Amino acid sequence: MNTVNARVWRFAPRSSGQGAAWIVGRGQLPVGLARLVHINALACDLQSVVDLQTKELEARLLLSYVDAPAGSPLQLDHQSLIASSRHIRSFVSECAGLGLLTAASEALFSWTDGTHELNSFDALPRPLSKSYQSSGVRPDLLFHVPEGPIAGEARGRYRKQKALLPKRLLAEQRRRLAQLTTWSAAHGDHSYFMSWVYVGPAGVAVDIFIPEASGSGDTWLTDWADTEDGNSQEQPFGESGADAASGPGALPTNQKSPTGAMASGVAGEEITGLKPLGLMVEEPTRPPQEIAEEAMSRLYETAPEPTQEATLAGISVRGRWVPADALGAAKHEVMVGVLAERPPRQVAMRERMARSEGRFDVCLDGRLLTVVRPVAAPKPEWHQLERTLFDPR
């Protein structure tokens, strides 16, 4: 398991579109490298072409820029990053943003398998799509926890300054907090939070913004964060009331509030419930789960067969190890694989991370499998992966 330097902020609206934010905690946020790669590189439009080799290429590219020795803070190959095109820099920083939003939510909500689901706002299942505005300003992800749905906004930005974490709120952050506050009010005071990831020569860091009226109190701060002493200075955010209420992407105030029930029948793979992020907003003509299963079957049929028998919990697995060597000698190898059918229930997420510490990192969502290992470490045997993922002891 790796970490990133993280700050937790509270913020509260003070008037229409305006408010204040203050720091309430700091710490090293735990991040699973395979999870980071899995969330981004395997995001795809299941109603379009799904190609495993393309997913391998995306995973290799992202890992070529990431330097993450076991147990250490997440780092990026900064010299290679600044030498790359703007498109590549955006790909790397946005991948970090989306991955760390999910890592933050897992730590903040103390997720355990079977108690949450995750949707993209661009791929909401049919019952939920009618509850949310389909255009204008929207968050990125929708997390379903027992207390109800929580929207998550992810931002990833390159920051060249030596001080990776800015001392004051950025103008972009102030504007986005105001927009999200307006979005929440338009959806019946919908719960939400925002993560803002910085990548640059100083490494990787993240600011996490949580509304004061979230109803969760200080339970958001888990064992990875140390609380502040209460001396953090408030910082204002937002624009004038008129700009915040009627600016680009403002939502109508008569928008219906979504239900707090957990969604089911969603489009995509699910053990932890991650849904591919590229699906179109239009409602599919067939059940989403049917589309997802067909896509996974196509992936399995076209995936390279392993050179030796590969099974997890008695289920055949297809995939291969490939080096993350887009920038030279690889520091990691990654396997993107797919199972022949859905596996049994996994053990808790934190337990899986602890079991593989220092040797490999593994993520399994439904039939999709991602394993990352340092090139200096031996390749994990299938029985080791199976024990890490499924052994209840």
Side-chain angles (χ1 to χ4, degrees), residues 99-390:
L100 290 178
L101 174 73
T102 306
S105 67
E106 291 167 348
L108 291 168
F109 307 150
S110 299
W111 278 6
T112 56
D113 291 330
T115 64
H116 69 277
E117 294 178 356
L118 174 61
N119 295 112
S120 164
F121 268 89
D122 288 328
L124 289 176
R126 190 176 305 172
L128 287 181
S129 63
K130 299 176 182 178
S131 299
Y132 294 97
Q133 182 84 355
S134 61
S135 61
V137 170
R138 291 178 299 160
D140 293 302
L141 298 177
L142 183 66
F143 301 92
H144 302 271
V145 296
E147 292 77 14
I150 301 173
E153 170 74 357
R155 283 286 194 258
R157 294 292 184 269
Y158 175 77
R159 183 171 168 83
K160 63 181 179 181
Q161 289 85 347
K162 292 183 179 179
L164 194 57
L165 288 168
K167 294 182 179 180
R168 303 193 64 80
L169 291 177
L170 304 177
E172 283 185 279
Q173 293 172 328
R174 295 196 299 267
R175 285 194 295 269
R176 196 57 177 168
L177 285 174
Q179 291 171 333
L180 290 172
T181 300
T182 302
W183 178 90
S184 174
H187 289 81
D189 294 327
H190 196 294
S191 296
Y192 65 106
F193 77 110
M194 180 175 76
S195 70
W196 199 281
V197 175
Y198 314 91
V199 300
V204 183
V206 59
D207 274 328
I208 304 164
F209 298 87
I210 304 170
E212 185 180 38
S214 64
S216 299
D218 289 335
T219 58
W220 292 78
L221 297 178
T222 52
D223 54 2
W224 61 269
D226 296 323
T227 57
E228 292 285 282
D229 57 8
N231 295 324
S232 177
Q233 183 178 0
E234 288 192 359
Q235 299 186 34
F237 69 83
E239 307 170 64
S240 67
D243 291 339
S246 59
L251 300 180
T253 55
N254 61 352
Q255 180 72 31
K256 293 182 179 179
S257 173
T259 66
M262 295 179 64
S264 60
V266 290
E269 289 299 290
E270 51 179 333
I271 283 290
T272 60
L274 177 65
K275 309 303 176 292
L277 304 173
L279 288 176
M280 297 179 294
V281 174
E282 289 83 359
E283 294 183 2
T285 56
R286 294 182 295 139
Q289 194 58 50
E290 181 181 326
I291 297 173
E293 284 299 319
E294 286 187 5
M296 293 305 103
S297 295
R298 290 197 305 271
L299 273 182
Y300 181 80
E301 293 166 0
T302 57
E305 294 192 34
T307 55
Q308 58 183 3
E309 183 180 5
T311 61
L312 285 176
I315 302 171
S316 175
V317 184
R318 290 184 178 179
R320 62 183 178 183
W321 287 99
V322 293
D325 56 0
L327 299 173
K331 295 182 180 180
H332 297 90
E333 283 195 341
V334 57
M335 176 172 40
V336 176
V338 58
L339 279 63
E341 60 187 66
R342 285 184 171 270
R345 185 183 181 89
Q346 299 176 69
V347 298
M349 187 182 311
R350 294 267 179 119
E351 177 68 17
R352 297 199 303 269
M353 287 184 173
R355 292 180 182 184
S356 61
E357 182 71 47
R359 299 172 295 143
F360 57 86
D361 197 11
V362 58
C363 178
L364 178 63
D365 274 314
R367 294 169 62 182
L368 293 175
L369 174 73
T370 302
V371 189
V372 177
R373 73 172 183 91
V375 292
K379 294 178 181 178
E381 301 290 341
W382 288 103
H383 69 86
Q384 293 175 306
L385 294 175
E386 182 172 324
R387 185 167 59 248
T388 298
L389 291 166
F390 303 114

Side-chain angles (χ1 to χ4, degrees), residues 32-45:
L33 188 57
R35 184 71 164 150
L36 187 74
V37 174
H38 190 95
I39 290 167
N40 294 283
L42 294 182
C44 58
D45 183 353

